[in-house]
DNA sequence: CGTTGTGGCTAGAGCGCTCTAGTCTTCCCT
DNA sequence: AGGGAAGACTAGAGCGCTCTAGCCACAACG
């Protein structure tokens, strides 16, 4: 960055004309130099850059975007409250840069809904939109996809109008369940994500693993959600059920929708006097920072953030440059085994 | 948002001219209507809006910014990994909107340093920069402040070149310490933030409270940091000290730099077999989401995010509109008492 | 010697808006 | 009837860039 403009020239920042005048060349030449285009001698380039430095000049992005045939912008919608989105944003920056695009960020927050976020991105004439875990209805996304090249990340969507990039959640849930099965568990319940993106897939994965193990009758899905509260409530409800001597015994393992949900389950279990993993094994999803904390030490399923970001940008670019050939790309998840899972407890 | 452009007019989005033509008015009129300026009859407004709707028109922000005398943009630099920044960003959106400004977001991440984030903001010709907890050296911020109206949030900085908006951390730490004193604790140690912004202030607050209570000799600050690891390590080190029969007994309470640090302390204490708050009281700082989790239930100090955001925007606007009259604004923090603090344990 | 490149450079027309300085009505007040 | 004044609307000049066309000087080629 320029460190200090020598001439604050009437308060306004220096323009290309200022640089051109000082370097005694045309404005076009300055443009050529700053875009690293052929058409200027080495000596002139140096002269222009020097003049720019002296004036503290940096090209005006607004003008640049306006006059360029293409804006070179990728609009990213993310939820400010979601650490996972934060990781994605970072990875998107590097992925976009590698392909010569810039990112325009627009946050979603309780007080700022997706419509507003998208409208603002569209107003900047982004060439494509990358939405992280959007909650808008399918129809809305479909319509949006007709308007602008669209990539939906971490959410399933069946449409020709958008690219979908997500982790293979079904596989992830399957891996989590199989891990528990391998430890000898049979009474495994799932606390699902309610209406959160990915819920249906993770339910399917859990169910598939159970059925494959011949435990179809043991399948049990509790309604949960993406927050600690959801996990806690679900487990409290479970624990409150009257113990039926003839009925099935209490579950020995829980597959939670995500790490936050798993934390809620852990809390409820602890309050109910259960030891983890001695009395109960718990698996989360996301491998968030909290999962790695020593006293949480949660077995979980890791999504490949860098891969998701790279794919998202690649698909966005493909949609921008080529005809809309919608694809749905799945990234493989990876089980991370930690201390919250252990062998099935012996019946007392 | 417009739901579906009736005419995708050669692939390119509709412009003001398209709308003007369709509504049979001049471009200027369309501009007036979209800026909600006086100078158009009610009937015409409706006609223009209708035409725009039919064309799926939305003003091009790039052109808007360029031609407007002022960009109306507030550039915000935030760290993608920091939940606290997320909260601030949300609050900034509403605060900025209330004063007629828009936000331009630029993220800082391990792979994207502050220089890049700032450069990108500057390229958009933001009228002011709001930096959330910047880690750049004072000199750099000072220089930046000479270049553009600058507001530094949640970081202390002694300069005329920038506005500083932060929580009164000294007071916060004082409140935390006084709370423990009121509960009867005397052996209170602080695990500080190492070099993190706010460390010095919080140390002062702790020290002041102790001295005021006549416990100057009991003051003890352990080097910590802003992460769980830091808190954990600090407490482990403390616990590892040989018990000196003549020396002071073990502390009965800890004032941690922030919630993450406090969590580390909690972890270490639990592993050492201590019950919280029976054997040890712990206070955090930030009132983060984790502090509110039932099984953490951390007594902590809450920063007024909305107030910080409002002040930050107000100061930014003041700097933009008026002469640089640098101010350093302190927001009062508030102690939130939860379950991690209790009366001083009776000597066994 | 004319022709054809070619490297280095410039003129000038946009990009899609905003905004100042009008013009043209119509209405109101003496 | 004349003289504003207000309201509705338009022309056109920017804003700071990019980019196409084209100019000029010089070299290489036949």
């Amino acid at each position: 960055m320029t460190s200090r403009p020598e001439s604050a020239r009437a308060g306004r920042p220096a323009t290309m004309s200022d640089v051109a005048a000082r370097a005694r060349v045309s404005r076009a030449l300055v443009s050529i130099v700053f875009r690293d285009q052929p058409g200027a001698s080495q000596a002139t380039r140096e002269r222009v850059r020097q003049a720019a430095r002296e004036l503290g000049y940096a090209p005006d992005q607004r003008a640049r975007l306006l006059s360029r045939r293409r804006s070179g912008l990728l609009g990213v919608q993310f939820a400010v409250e979601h650490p996972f989105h934060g990781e994605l944003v970072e990875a998107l920056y590097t992925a976009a840069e590698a392909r010569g695009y810039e990112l325009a960020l627009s946050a979603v927050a309780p007080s700022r809904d997706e419509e507003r976020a998208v409208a603002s991105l569209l107003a900047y004439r982004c060439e494509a939109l990358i939405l992280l875990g959007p909650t808008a209805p399918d129809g809305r996304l479909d319509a949006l996809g007709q308007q602008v090249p669209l990539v939906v990340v971490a959410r399933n969507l069946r449409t020709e109008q958008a690219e979908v990039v997500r982790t293979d959640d079904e596989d992830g849930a399957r891996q989590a369940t199989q891990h528990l099965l391998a430890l000898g568990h049979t009474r495994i319940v799932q606390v699902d994500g309610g209406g959160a993106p990915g819920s249906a897939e993770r339910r399917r994965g859990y169910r598939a693993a159970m059925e494959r193990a011949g435990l179809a009758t043991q399948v049990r899905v509790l309604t949960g959600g993406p927050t600690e509260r959801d996990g806690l409530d679900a487990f409290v409800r479970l624990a409150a059920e009257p113990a039926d001597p003839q009925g099935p015994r209490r579950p020995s393992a829980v597959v939670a929708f995500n790490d936050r949900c798993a934390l809620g389950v852990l809390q409820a279990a602890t309050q109910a006097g259960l030891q983890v993993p001695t009395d109960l094994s718990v698996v989360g999803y996301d491998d968030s920072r909290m999962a790695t904390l020593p006293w949480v030490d949660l077995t979980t399923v890791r999504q490949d953030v860098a891969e998701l970001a790279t794919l998202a940008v690649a698909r966005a670019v493909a949609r921008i440059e080529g005809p809309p050939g919608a694809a749905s790309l799945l990234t493989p998840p990876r089980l991370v085994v930690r201390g919250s899972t252990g062998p099935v407890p012996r019946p007392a």
Side-chain angles (χ1 to χ4, degrees), chain A residues 297-330:
Chain A
D297 199 34
L298 187 67
T299 294
T300 187
V301 177
R302 177 159 185 69
Q303 305 198 45
D304 189 338
V305 172
E307 177 73 0
L308 286 173
T310 308
L311 285 177
V313 170
R315 297 314 301 165
V317 172
R319 268 238 159 183
I320 290 168
E321 291 173 356
S328 185
L329 297 179
L330 289 183

Side-chain angles (χ1 to χ4, degrees), chain A residues 156-275:
Chain A
N156 199 0
L157 179 67
R158 191 170 256 110
T159 178
E160 292 291 300
Q161 306 306 328
E163 310 282 328
V164 176
V165 173
R166 60 191 178 91
T167 297
D168 187 345
D169 284 334
E170 181 166 347
D171 184 44
R174 199 185 302 123
Q175 285 187 39
T177 311
Q178 282 170 346
H179 166 63
L180 293 170
L181 290 166
L183 286 169
H185 294 271
T186 54
R187 290 164 288 117
I188 305 171
V189 306
Q190 183 184 42
V191 175
D192 84 345
S199 276
E201 291 75 19
R202 295 181 199 179
R203 267 195 303 268
R204 265 204 304 281
Y206 158 73
R207 192 176 296 269
M210 291 295 275
E211 288 172 355
R212 194 176 305 172
L215 293 170
T217 58
Q218 292 284 345
V219 165
R220 179 147 188 222
V221 177
L222 302 176
T223 302
T227 72
E228 291 86 359
R229 180 94 258 157
D230 295 314
L232 190 137
D233 289 348
F235 197 84
V236 164
R237 255 181 283 122
L238 179 70
E241 289 173 3
D244 177 359
Q246 274 108 327
R249 281 169 304 164
R250 287 275 149 71
S252 66
V254 175
V255 179
F257 173 68
N258 65 8
D259 288 351
R260 292 184 64 184
C261 179
L263 248 42
V265 170
L266 285 178
Q267 158 68 352
T270 306
Q271 281 181 340
L274 297 176
Q275 292 275 352

Side-chain angles (χ1 to χ4, degrees), chain A residues 101-119:
Chain A
Y101 284 82
E102 278 207 57
L103 249 46
L105 260 36
S106 190
V108 167
S111 62
R112 190 170 193 264
D113 63 22
E114 295 188 6
E115 283 300 306
R116 306 227 357 229
V118 166

Side-chain angles (χ1 to χ4, degrees), chain A residues 139-150 159-162 319 324:
Chain A
R140 175 71 191 103
L141 294 175
D142 198 273
L144 191 59
Q146 288 180 238
Q147 204 175 136
V148 61
L150 182 67
T159 178
E160 292 291 300
Q161 306 306 328
R319 268 238 159 183

Side-chain angles (χ1 to χ4, degrees), chain A residues 75-89 92-93 104-109 112-114 117 121 130-134:
Chain A
V76 175
Q77 178 199 89
F78 70 105
V80 94
E81 74 207 300
H82 215 316
F84 183 57
H85 288 191
E87 292 181 47
L88 274 170
V89 167
L92 284 170
Y93 266 117
L105 260 36
S106 190
V108 167
R112 190 170 193 264
D113 63 22
E114 295 188 6
L121 255 18
I130 298 179
L131 309 185
L132 307 187

